Amino acid sequence: VNGTLNAQGTPTNKIYFTSIKDDSVGGDTNGNGNATIPAPSDYRGLYFYSGSTGNFDQGVLRYGGAYQCLGCSLNYGVIRISGGNVNLANSQIQSNTYGIYESSSGSLTVNASTITNNGGYGIYTSVSTSTNITVTNTAFGGHTSYDARLNGPINFINSLNTASGTTAPRGFYINGTLPAGQTWNPGIPFVPDSVTVSPAKTLTINPGTIVKFITDGFIAVNGTLNAQGTPTNKIYF
């Protein structure tokens, strides 16, 4: 996608992006009965390049995330953002290699969706310039690594998110310098690796939030850190 992709379904008439081996929707498209079954990495997926836009509502995206190149082994998401702006609402990202992969600055907004049972991360970003990511009212779970791994100068807006499952690392893994004032809200635990709050910037951690550090993890504060809990709704480091 170098322009715009609009995929606007309805609650009773969803839009499916899936493998040709997926007989659960559209019937036996590849005509081989039960000889093949769908799996993560069955196809590459949807790539959004600089200046592009993707709008999804009531979408189901599954079994994607493949990437092939000579002499390398890489995992990507069923959605890959390489400078585009992607908005998802009321959608399901499930059973892909990764859910969403952002490799260069763009933006991502996810609301009222589920991101579950992807082979690696639900959301993975690795960016070098300031990027906006908003995730609200979204359920995560069943990944083999963190629900989201956010590397780089990311303005992360988050609220009312939940996670389930105990067999793999959970949480929002954060690594990088915060490019703007930021608020961490309760729901899914935050997992800082190397987080820096710049001068004149503020990190606010709201009551009920849980922050769990990996080995050598830290938050370096050059600006302001506000962590104001209450007697019945503490903040945990």
Side-chain angles (χ1 to χ4, degrees), residues 31-143:
N32 67 353
N34 296 322
T36 55
I37 58 174
S41 293
D42 271 353
Y43 61 99
R44 295 193 183 189
L46 306 172
Y47 291 6
F48 291 88
Y49 294 103
S50 180
S52 67
T53 300
N55 298 308
F56 298 85
D57 197 349
Q58 298 295 345
V60 180
L61 299 93
R62 58 195 185 196
Y63 304 123
Y67 184 83
Q68 297 85 29
C69 64
L70 184 63
C72 67
S73 176
L74 299 173
N75 295 322
Y76 282 150
V78 66
I79 292 176
R80 181 182 175 189
I81 302 171
S82 298
N85 302 293
V86 175
N87 308 289
L88 293 103
N90 308 301
S91 294
Q92 303 169 35
I93 309 290
Q94 57 187 214
S95 301
N96 302 285
T97 307
Y98 288 178
I100 301 168
Y101 183 104
E102 183 164 1
S103 59
S104 62
S105 296
S107 69
L108 171 66
T109 300
V110 182
N111 180 54
S113 296
T114 60
I115 302 177
T116 57
N117 299 314
N118 298 288
Y121 302 95
I123 300 172
Y124 182 94
T125 70
S126 182
V127 299
S128 58
T129 57
S130 181
T131 299
N132 293 322
I133 295 180
T134 302
V135 182
T136 55
N137 196 31
T138 291
F140 293 79
H143 302 114

Side-chain angles (χ1 to χ4, degrees), residues 18-19 26 70 77 81 101 106 143 170 176 212-213:
T18 189
S19 168
L70 184 63
I81 302 171
Y101 183 104
H143 302 114
R170 290 175 45 206
K212 294 188 174 184
F213 293 86

